[in-house]
């Protein structure tokens, strides 16, 4: 036992000595973490997302409770997150629509707020590296988002056990954990977007409106724009030849996947609905002889692997731009 304790202490000492978690980064991280968790706007947005998500979950639980005892349904636990009620969409729709608000709210005034309060120059006057500031702010926001999403996901899972009395299988639990991880990645994308806008715009209101505009574009208008482009290049109707209809559908899908919202929606529905076996157009010839069934978890992960890589790459790219602008930004004392 003493040997293991010595190894743990040696590892912690080594970790503290590493430059990527320097004293300046740790100080900024702890300060931003406390500010984010104690802010009123964070509390309001978290309650909004939590109430909407739990309400949708409760309606779904009530609608499938009878089906559990009447039929041998598979993956009943996952249906808590994907089943909609008469007046409410499913849980995953609420998270997809409102989750980005958390990321935008935590970062829209991360840098310009320091400028307006004239505290950024004082902060950089301390014995810390400049990149510790932006890295600490991003890591603190990411930590808060991860805590919120994991807490909400486990809360819904716990309520599902109480309402349904059906414990999740190992595969269902694995799919749920990966779904929460994908959600953290998706919301962190919007955190990096808001962090970038806080550098590009000095006014907090302008930065917040720019972030909301980008969110609304991808959430509401990107699908309509993709449809207009596809219909313009490959017009298709009921009387069009099959090849024309296929080109139209393929182009819509390819262009739609340029949106992080589309990537997230396709990834989550594949994880939480094992019956999804493909994400592209399916021809009638491909359905001949197909046996109905569900995909195992590893096959579902292979199906959404490009989506995960795209979300991570987009997040890193936006954060890299924010990092570049911050390092080249002129900061005057005043």
């Amino acid at each position: 036992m003493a040997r293991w304790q010595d190894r743990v202490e040696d590892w912690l000492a080594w970790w503290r000595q590493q430059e990527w978690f320097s004293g300046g980064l740790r100080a900024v991280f702890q300060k931003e973490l406390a500010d984010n968790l104690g802010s009123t706007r964070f509390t309001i947005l978290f309650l909004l997302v939590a109430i909407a998500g739990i309400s949708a979950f409760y309606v779904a639980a009530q609608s499938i409770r009878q089906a559990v005892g009447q039929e041998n349904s598979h993956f009943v636990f996952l249906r808590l997150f994907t089943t909609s009620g008469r007046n409410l969409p499913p849980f995953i729709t609420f998270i997809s629509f409102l989750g980005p608000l958390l990321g935008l709210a935590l970062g829209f005034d991360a840098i310009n707020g320091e400028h307006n309060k004239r505290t950024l120059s004082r902060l950089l006057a301390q014995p810390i590296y400049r990149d510790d500031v932006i890295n600490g702010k991003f890591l603190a926001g990411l930590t808060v988002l991860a805590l919120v999403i994991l807490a909400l996901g486990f809360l819904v899972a716990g309520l599902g056990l109480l309402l349904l009395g059906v414990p999740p299988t190992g595969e269902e639990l694995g799919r749920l954990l990966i779904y929460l991880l994908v959600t953290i990645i998706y919301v962190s994308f919007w955190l990096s977007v808001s962090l970038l806008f806080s550098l590009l715009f000095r006014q907090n209101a302008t930065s917040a409106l720019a972030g909301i505009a980008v969110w609304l574009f991808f959430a509401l208008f990107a699908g309509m724009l993709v449809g207009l482009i596809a219909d313009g290049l490959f017009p298709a109707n009921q009387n069009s030849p099959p090849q024309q209809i296929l080109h139209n559908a393929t182009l819509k899908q390819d262009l739609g996947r340029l949106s992080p919202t589309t990537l997230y929606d396709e990834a989550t529905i594949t994880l939480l609905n094992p019956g999804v076996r493909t994400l592209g157009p399916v021809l009638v010839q491909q359905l001949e002889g197909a046996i109905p069934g569900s995909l195992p978890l590893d096959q579902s992960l292979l199906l959404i692997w490009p989506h995960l890589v795209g979300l991570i790459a987009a997040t890193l790219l936006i954060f890299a731009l924010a990092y570049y602008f911050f390092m080249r930004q002129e900061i005057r004392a005043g």
Side-chain angles (χ1 to χ4, degrees):
M1 188 67 180
R3 182 181 300 177
W4 281 106
Q5 292 178 349
D6 293 339
R7 290 183 179 180
V8 172
E9 293 177 357
D10 293 341
W11 183 84
L12 291 176
W14 172 83
W15 174 261
R16 297 189 188 100
Q17 293 175 358
Q18 303 308 303
E19 294 183 356
W20 61 72
F21 203 69
S22 60
L25 177 59
R26 187 185 305 111
V28 175
F29 172 80
Q30 293 174 348
K31 172 186 175 298
E32 292 297 322
L33 186 63
D35 292 343
N36 289 331
L37 290 176
S39 63
T40 304
R41 65 184 176 193
F42 167 76
T43 304
I44 295 174
L45 286 173
F46 172 70
L47 291 177
L48 174 64
V49 175
I51 292 173
I54 294 176
S55 300
F57 151 78
Y58 182 78
V59 172
Q62 294 297 324
S63 64
I64 68 175
R65 176 184 289 180
Q66 297 178 352
V68 174
Q70 295 176 357
E71 58 185 28
N72 185 19
S73 301
H74 297 287
F75 302 105
V76 175
F77 191 80
L78 293 180
R79 290 170 57 188
L80 291 170
F81 300 88
T82 58
T83 302
S84 61
R86 295 181 179 179
N87 300 318
L88 289 175
F91 176 86
I92 59 174
T93 301
F94 272 115
I95 298 302
S96 174
F97 189 76
L98 297 178
L101 285 177
L102 289 174
L104 293 174
L106 291 180
F108 77 92
D109 62 345
I111 303 299
N112 52 20
E114 300 280 1
H115 274 294
N116 296 332
K117 292 183 292 187
R118 301 182 184 276
T119 57
L120 186 59
S121 59
R122 301 176 188 174
L123 180 62
L124 294 177
Q126 304 300 317
I128 61 175
Y129 296 105
R130 174 181 277 216
D131 58 346
D132 287 341
V133 176
I134 189 169
N135 291 335
K137 288 179 177 292
F138 181 78
L139 290 177
L142 181 59
T143 302
V144 172
L145 293 175
L147 291 175
V148 170
I149 293 171
L150 291 175
L152 184 59
F154 291 145
L155 175 62
V156 171
L159 292 176
L161 290 175
L162 294 177
L163 292 176
L164 297 180
V166 179
T169 63
E171 181 172 350
E172 286 180 314
L173 186 59
R175 288 179 178 273
L176 176 60
L177 292 176
I178 297 175
Y179 160 71
L180 296 177
L181 177 61
V182 174
T183 303
I184 293 173
I185 296 173
Y186 174 64
V187 179
S188 66
F189 166 80
W190 294 104
L191 173 64
S192 63
V193 170
S194 63
L195 193 62
L196 175 62
F197 285 148
S198 72
L199 284 162
L200 298 179
F201 304 103
R202 285 297 181 93
Q203 297 299 323
N204 296 347
T206 306
S207 175
L209 288 175
I212 294 175
V214 174
W215 166 58
L216 289 176
F217 172 77
F218 284 120
L220 301 178
F221 303 110
M224 294 184 289
L225 181 61
V226 166
L228 291 175
I229 296 175
D231 292 338
L233 296 177
F234 299 103
N237 52 48
Q238 296 180 351
N239 299 323
S240 300
Q243 197 69 18
Q244 186 82 356
I245 298 176
L246 181 61
H247 286 324
N248 182 278
T250 304
L251 183 59
K252 284 182 180 179
Q253 185 181 57
D254 293 340
L255 293 178
R257 287 176 176 172
L258 296 176
S259 167
T261 303
T262 301
L263 294 177
Y264 174 73
D265 290 340
E266 290 187 354
T268 53
I269 196 60
T270 303
L271 285 171
L272 297 180
N273 186 4
V276 175
R277 305 175 68 175
T278 181
L279 294 174
V282 180
L283 301 179
V284 178
Q285 295 83 352
Q286 296 174 323
L287 294 176
E288 295 180 357
I291 300 175
S294 58
L295 288 180
L297 178 57
D298 56 345
Q299 294 298 317
S300 296
L301 288 176
L302 288 177
L303 194 61
I304 66 170
W305 184 250
H307 299 68
L308 299 182
V309 173
L311 286 174
I312 295 174
T315 303
L316 294 178
L317 176 62
I318 298 299
F319 178 73
L321 289 175
Y323 183 92
Y324 172 79
F325 284 118
F326 182 75
M327 297 301 290
R328 293 181 59 87
Q329 190 177 65
E330 181 181 0
I331 300 175
R332 300 177 180 178

